Amino acid sequence: MTVLVDTARFPGHGRWWAHLASDTSTEELHAFAARLGIPRRAFEGDHYDVPEERVEEAVAAGATRVSTRELLRRLQSAGLRTPKRRGEKVLASGVEDGVRVDVVRADVVPLPHGTHYLVTGPDLVEVAQLTGRVRGFRRRWSRTPTGTVVVHDGVCVGEGVLAVPAERWWSPLVAPDA
């Protein structure tokens, strides 16, 4: 078991925050966080945000103290680092057909996928027309020798914007030439 914690050096909500991560698996990380009583809402796709006053408790429970740079390097080496942009919150991560899948809360679908179309039954709606009404998106990603490949394949929009099938929360995206 290798759970890592860095120094609390990230400000937010009037406190300083550290990162708690595993270079083995997210399952291990969730179990460790649960033992410490850290709420699941603190999970950010590949790490938990932990307030400064809980860092020593994490170390006492078995976490290894490392620098932020080392924590990131080990997450990347293990293939567990989740790509993220400012304003995004990864709500869930999993694996489908050997590829990582994230459900992300965000106000926009990142480009170039903002020019893609949303499937709405027999019709297609350009995603760019939904500005301000997007609640999040679904993305598939994997690491290759040439870098990270990310494909946004679904979007969640506000109620009443589109008719989304009851069996899923998202609508699929298609490329303009599809």
Side-chain angles (χ1 to χ4, degrees), residues 141-150:
W141 63 276
S142 59
R143 297 213 192 296
T144 67
T146 59
T148 302
V149 176
V150 179

Side-chain angles (χ1 to χ4, degrees), residues 126-156:
E126 190 173 329
V127 173
Q129 296 173 353
L130 300 174
T131 303
R133 297 185 286 178
V134 173
R135 291 193 171 162
F137 57 88
R138 182 180 188 270
R139 70 174 164 220
R140 299 169 57 84
W141 63 276
S142 59
R143 297 213 192 296
T144 67
T146 59
T148 302
V149 176
V150 179
V151 176
H152 299 89
D153 65 353
V155 66
C156 176

